[in-house]
Amino acid sequence: MAKKPKKQQQSGGTPATVALTAAGVDFTVHAYDHDPSHPSYGEEAAEAMGVSPERVFKTLVADVDGSLVVGVVPVAGSLDLKALAAAVGGKRATMADPILAERTTGYVRGGISPLGQRRKLPTVLDDSAGTHPTICVSAGRRGLEVELAPEDLAKLTDAVLAPIGRG
């Protein structure tokens, strides 16, 4: 799947796909049947799309010194909270309350996208994203992913690139 994704025009769509279309960014939408019993949303997405888990990124919301921050890391690993805090000049990070994360982003857990959030949060993208021509992130609901160039994701979210993932 190293080929350049094609621009996908959508009428309506999710806030994430609407934001991508408005920005004129090339992206591909991948839909799959979400299984509520699957233990990992991200791993389920990778399996369903037949994509390496290193190319599928999960969006996690953390509290860094009292402010919400988004960490985007490969589903094959986990978020290094200490590294996330350091990437935004903070001291301490904990995972955000899921209800607060949902309310702030406008998305449900397992479908939080780094794009098109209700309130745009500071975002840190794991620097491993740059090793892939394209990566996949949630399109804003469970069972829907968008594939795009990592530099486009970083630009649209004003993301800082930093080593925040742990393998």
Side-chain angles (χ1 to χ4, degrees), residues 67-143:
S67 297
L68 294 181
V69 174
V70 171
V72 184
V73 296
V75 302
S78 61
L79 175 63
D80 181 335
L81 289 166
K82 194 173 198 173
L84 177 68
V88 295
K91 292 184 174 146
R92 187 172 182 276
T94 58
M95 292 306 297
D97 174 72
I99 294 169
L100 179 60
E102 289 178 346
R103 194 173 342 133
T104 304
T105 63
Y107 294 118
V108 297
R109 198 166 44 110
I112 294 178
S113 178
L115 300 156
Q117 296 174 357
R118 182 178 290 149
R119 190 178 75 169
K120 189 174 181 179
L121 298 172
T123 301
V124 182
L125 175 60
D126 185 67
D127 61 359
S128 70
T131 65
H132 308 287
T134 62
I135 60 171
C136 298
V137 296
S138 176
R141 73 171 182 254
R142 296 172 189 152

Side-chain angles (χ1 to χ4, degrees), residues 41-64:
Y41 297 117
E43 288 175 10
E44 176 192 25
E47 291 166 11
M49 294 185 302
V51 174
S52 163
E54 288 78 22
R55 281 191 48 230
V56 179
F57 283 63
K58 56 189 170 187
T59 305
L60 302 168
V61 181
D63 180 314
V64 178

